[in-house]
Every structure is written in structure tokens, then in C-alpha cells.
Amino acid sequence: LQREGKINTWQDRQIEAGAEWATEIKANLEKADIVLLLITRHFLASDYCYETEMQRAVERHHEGTARVIPIILEACSWKYSNFRHLQVLPKDGKPVTSWDRKAEAFFDVEEGIRRVVDALNAERQAEAARAREAEELKQQQEEAARLERERQERERLAAEQRQREAEAQRQEQERLERERLAAEQRQREQAEAQRHEQERQQQAARKTPLPQLNLPLKTFEFEVVTLDSQGQEASRKRKQAKYFSEDLGNDTWLDMVAIPGGNFLMGSPRGEGDSDEKPQHRVTVNPFYLGKYEVTQAQWKAVAAMPQIARDINPDPSRFKGAMRPVEKVSWDDAVEFCQRLSRYTNRQYRLPSEAEWEYACRAGTTTPFHFGPAISREIVNCKRNLGMAIIGLFAGETTEVGSYKVANAFGLYDMHGNVWEWCQDVWHGSYEGAPTDGSAWMEGGDQTGRVLRGGSWIYHPGFCRSAYRYRFSRDDVYSYVGFRVVWVPA
């Protein structure tokens, strides 16, 4: 039976010198699938064999965790024992020593054991097959449930989209009606001469160049969303912000949002973040303008076509192509070259944001881990799912067009969490000990080969997207999840 691979055996003769024999017997008795009781008058007379080994074997037999087979070796009073109700071997309980040919007796024993082994194996195979069928059924049910959830989610998103489109159409109709009524009112109230004078003044104003510090700021509206600790929407408000647009040619524009000055606590409070985000300290930031979105591939190509300053740059470096997707696979030095070319073209000094400016702009007056609140949702942030933090939605698996999620922070900035990491001006330091408090970039000391990145990206978990989270790469590193946005500070 062993040669056929049907059984492995153990008996107490295998106990090694120095081992606790009672412990070894008990351990192997508990592991056995089949227990053979070799019955002689000495077995029945042995307190340990009868009271300990046999009693536990019979208990396991009744529990269904083992099969006990008594083998009657010699004539004895086994029919009065606790195992008398069990089927014994050889057949009819005839002791082995009573057979004329003992080989036949042991062959009968072997065949009886073989039948038990085959039955146990068949039972286990059937049980394994049932388990596999149950697991396959469970997987099918889970897959069906997942597909149903995705279908319901698509239907919900489609319904929300239809609702938004209907609301936008209603608002547009109301706006057109208001404009019509306003135009009629102006026509009734204004004289022809006054209208001519107004047109003349407007034409004169358009011909007069505006000074650099008197930018023709425009106003845009946006939605600000707050989420609860489970990533569910708690509130939604409409706000306004000022901005100007930089014409880069070929119908490509760079929107720069006005960020008011102020002060804030930079870094993570106790219980949040890593040691490099501490100590939390108060920083005062002067007003500045920051890109409404991360620099897009269209903007990158427009500036890459401008005359070189210090280095050549690839006009199309990105892995994920799309004019309105953020440019990626650009090094820190590439981003600096972009700013220098843009500065010469516009006669305004563009640069990368300092780390303090970036966090101040990202928080937009909030103190929670994200400007949305204590958690984020994949419905409004392009980042990777993480079971360790509240986040809902699906993993995009690549960059998305800037502003795709239609919600901004309180300053009117989009994609400050996720999509691509954003280069900052600063040299990497392992903590904020000795950091500037005036909002300027920290360029002295630290790791001069490393530069700071902020905001997380599409391939990183939500914890990396926190407002205070800091990351670093070498200044010449390029990855498909690293981009930037630009700053202009009026002189």
C-alpha cells in the first residue's frame, strides 16, 4: 500500500531517542486518517493502549475525523471492549493466529484497509469537487454582482450627466432670456448719441495697450465639493475667481488664476503624515497667479516651439497622448526651460511654484488632508484605489484631460490632487526644520540633486495625494506620472 502511494504509516517504534513518547503518540494519533488497533490480550490489558490511545481513537471515529480499524491478531475478549461495535479485520473477526495460512489472513487485512483508503480518497475527491463547484459558483455570483454594480454605476452617471445637461440647457435659456430683456431695456433707456459715444470710448480703450500690472482679469465660475469621511458628497457650492489668459499662439491659451495672499499652517498636524511633513509651521504667502490646470501637451508644444534658452526639450514627450492631457515625462530641468521660454515670450517672469505656494494654493483655506475634506473620491480625483483609505470609484489607469472632473478647490484650481505629480522649485529637505516662512523656495542645503513634487498622480494611492504629502525625484528623472504647473508673481 505504501509503494502504491496510498498510505504513509507511523508507529511508536519510530519515536526518536530523547523525545517525549506520550507527546509524539498523541500528536500522530491526532493527525492520522486511519488508526489500526492491533488487538491482542496484551493490548486489552495495557492501561495506556486501552484507556488512552484506543479511547481517543474511538472518539475521533465518532467525530468523523478518522477511521478506526481493529485488527484481531489473537484470540482475546475484544467483543467486550469499547470498539466492539466497529467492523474488525480479518473477516468475521477470526484472529490471525487462528488461520491455517496467516498470509491469507494478512491479505484479507490488506484488502480491508485498501477498501477504506479508496473510500476515503473518493470521499475527499468528491468533497474537493464540491468545494471547487462552490468556489466557482461564488466567483460567478461575485462577477455577476460586480457587473451589475458597474451597470448601475453607468446608469447613475448617465442619469447625472443627462440631469447636468438639462440643467445647463435651462440655465443657458435663462441667460439668453435675461440678455434679451437687458438689451431691450438698454435700447429703451439709451439715446442713439449715448450709444455712439460708448462705442467710441470702447474702441479707444481697445487700441490702448494695457500696462503689465493692470491685467484685464476675467471672472469664471466653478463648483467646490466637500466630502465626508467615507468619500461621499456632503455639500456642493458655486464660487467665482479672477484669472487672465496668456495667448501662446495657434489658439492655445494658458489660464492663470489669481491667488490671494495670506498665511497658513504648512505641513501635517499630529496624527497625520510622515516625519518629512513636520514640524507644522505658519507661513505667510504673497499674492500670485497659478496655472488653473497642469500644463497641457498643447501648451507644452507651443512653448517648445519657442527659441531655446538653456537646453533643448522634446516637443512631444508624453506617454499618454492628448492635447488637453497634462504633459508628462518631463524632468525638473525641462520644466524650468519651459518657464524661461514662456517668460521671454510674454515678458512676464514665469517659474515653478515654491513648495509653500503649492500647498497654500492646494489647501485654499482648508486644514483637512485633502481640500475636499478627510477623504477623496475617484469620481473627482484621478488616483489609484487603496483599501486602507476611504475612496470610491474606479482606477483610470492613465492620465485624464485637465479639468475632467469638473470640480475645483476654493481658489478655482483643478487637479491639485492626483492626475500627475507636479514639480516644485525647492531642493529636497528631510523635514521643515529651518524652512523659510515667507513662502519662498528653499534652495539652500538639503539634497541638491533632488527636487520636490506635490499632489500625487494617477498611479499612486490616495494617501500620496494629500495636501501636505511631499515626494522627491532627481531633477533629471522623467516618468509618465510627473508634470507641473506654473506661477507668475507680479513685480
Side-chain angles (χ1 to χ4, degrees), residues 14 40 75 82-83 121 135 163 261 271 322-323 358 393 425 439 463-464 485:
Q14 296 174 230
T40 65
N82 289 348
F83 57 83
N121 286 336
E135 180 63 23
Q163 185 177 358
W358 191 97
Q425 201 176 355
F464 292 82
R485 69 179 79 207

Side-chain angles (χ1 to χ4, degrees), residues 198-486:
Q198 188 178 31
E199 290 175 0
R200 186 190 65 78
Q201 292 176 357
Q202 290 176 347
Q203 290 174 357
R206 285 195 292 269
K207 293 178 181 178
T208 304
L210 291 169
Q212 180 170 317
L213 296 180
N214 188 22
L215 292 170
L217 295 181
K218 298 175 284 186
T219 301
F220 71 100
E221 290 189 351
F222 52 92
E223 288 189 328
V224 177
V225 170
T226 302
L227 305 180
D228 61 21
S229 60
Q230 299 303 311
Q232 302 293 333
E233 185 172 321
S235 67
R236 183 181 290 259
K237 298 178 181 178
R238 293 195 67 80
K239 299 195 70 172
Q240 292 183 339
K242 299 288 186 181
Y243 77 106
F244 72 91
S245 295
E246 198 75 84
D247 186 358
L248 304 182
N250 294 325
D251 200 28
T252 301
W253 300 81
L254 173 65
D255 291 343
M256 300 295 295
V257 179
I259 308 298
N263 63 77
F264 77 112
L265 280 175
M266 183 175 181
S268 293
R270 181 177 299 178
E272 179 194 330
D274 302 322
S275 59
D276 58 22
E277 301 167 26
K278 294 176 174 58
Q280 197 174 33
H281 57 292
R282 188 162 294 279
V283 176
T284 299
V285 180
N286 292 323
F288 62 98
Y289 291 85
L290 183 64
K292 183 178 181 181
Y293 307 110
E294 295 153 332
V295 171
T296 67
Q297 294 176 36
Q299 293 164 348
W300 176 269
K301 288 179 181 179
V303 174
M306 296 174 186
Q308 177 178 331
I309 301 294
R311 58 187 282 123
D312 187 28
I313 55 177
N314 183 350
D316 187 20
S318 300
R319 172 187 174 189
F320 304 108
K321 305 300 183 184
M324 295 305 295
R325 291 196 187 202
V327 68
E328 19 92 0
K329 296 189 72 175
V330 292
S331 69
W332 184 88
D333 291 315
D334 292 336
V336 170
E337 174 71 16
F338 177 96
C339 294
Q340 291 174 345
R341 295 189 189 189
L342 180 61
S343 299
R344 183 164 63 182
Y345 176 77
T346 61
N347 199 29
R348 276 189 278 272
Q349 293 303 308
Y350 283 92
R351 59 171 171 79
L352 295 175
S354 70
E355 209 180 347
E357 289 170 337
W358 191 97
E359 185 172 333
Y360 174 76
C362 177
R363 289 187 179 277
T366 63
T367 58
T368 48
F370 310 93
H371 66 68
F372 299 109
I376 57 177
S377 164
R378 266 288 300 120
E379 293 182 351
I380 55 177
V381 173
N382 183 10
C383 68
K384 192 172 185 179
R385 178 187 296 274
N386 182 13
L387 299 179
M389 180 171 291
I391 182 170
I392 61 176
L394 301 176
F395 177 34
E398 59 185 58
T399 61
T400 50
E401 291 189 355
V402 297
S404 294
Y405 292 89
K406 308 301 182 186
V407 291
N409 69 5
F411 284 159
L413 302 171
Y414 290 80
D415 301 318
M416 293 299 284
H417 298 307
N419 215 10
V420 291
W421 286 103
E422 299 178 18
W423 286 114
C424 290
Q425 201 176 355
D426 305 56
V427 168
W428 173 260
H429 293 77
S431 76
Y432 287 135
E433 293 289 348
T437 59
D438 60 356
S440 61
W442 195 3
M443 304 301 292
E444 298 77 26
D447 179 3
Q448 290 291 323
T449 64
R451 291 296 186 270
V452 176
L453 300 104
R454 290 299 201 106
S457 75
W458 63 269
I459 201 172
Y460 280 76
H461 294 303
F464 292 82
C465 301
R466 292 180 295 106
S467 300
Y469 191 86
R470 309 172 66 225
Y471 209 50
R472 68 168 170 179
F473 284 135
S474 296
R475 58 189 292 169
D476 56 354
D477 283 342
V478 291
Y479 297 104
S480 62
Y481 40 85
V482 175
F484 67 103
R485 69 179 79 207
V486 295

Side-chain angles (χ1 to χ4, degrees), residues 16-159:
E16 296 180 354
E20 293 279 350
W21 62 270
T23 302
E24 291 290 319
I25 291 174
K26 181 179 179 182
N28 283 278
L29 182 60
E30 293 297 328
K31 290 191 298 183
D33 297 312
I34 300 174
V35 180
L36 304 182
L37 303 181
L38 307 183
I39 307 303
T40 65
R41 65 187 184 282
H42 302 295
F43 178 94
L44 297 177
S46 169
D47 290 339
Y48 188 84
C49 291
Y50 193 90
E51 300 295 339
T52 301
E53 295 179 336
M54 185 271 289
Q55 293 294 343
R56 179 54 187 151
V58 172
E59 285 176 3
R60 290 196 62 210
H61 185 93
H62 292 320
E63 293 169 357
T65 59
R67 292 287 295 274
V68 175
I69 305 175
I71 300 174
I72 312 302
L73 297 182
E74 66 180 19
C76 58
S77 56
W78 64 269
K79 292 184 179 180
Y80 303 100
S81 69
N82 289 348
F83 57 83
R84 62 184 178 277
H85 57 284
L86 301 179
Q87 181 66 36
V88 301
L89 293 175
K91 62 183 177 182
D92 302 326
K94 182 179 179 180
V96 171
T97 55
S98 300
W99 289 59
D100 294 334
R101 299 172 66 182
K102 292 185 176 61
E104 291 182 1
F106 281 114
F107 179 72
D108 185 73
V109 170
E110 175 194 341
E111 287 297 292
I113 296 173
R114 184 186 302 274
R115 287 191 295 272
V116 172
V117 170
D118 291 342
L120 286 176
N121 286 336
E123 182 178 335
R124 288 181 177 176
Q125 290 172 0
E127 189 173 311
R130 289 193 296 272
R132 286 194 300 272
E133 290 175 358
E135 180 63 23
E136 290 174 359
L137 178 59
K138 179 183 176 183
Q139 292 177 355
Q140 292 171 359
Q141 292 172 340
E142 290 176 348
E143 178 65 12
R146 183 186 67 79
L147 294 174
E148 177 62 17
R149 288 195 299 271
E150 291 182 358
R151 183 191 65 78
Q152 293 176 355
E153 179 68 6
R154 288 194 297 272
E155 289 182 354
R156 185 185 68 81
L157 293 176

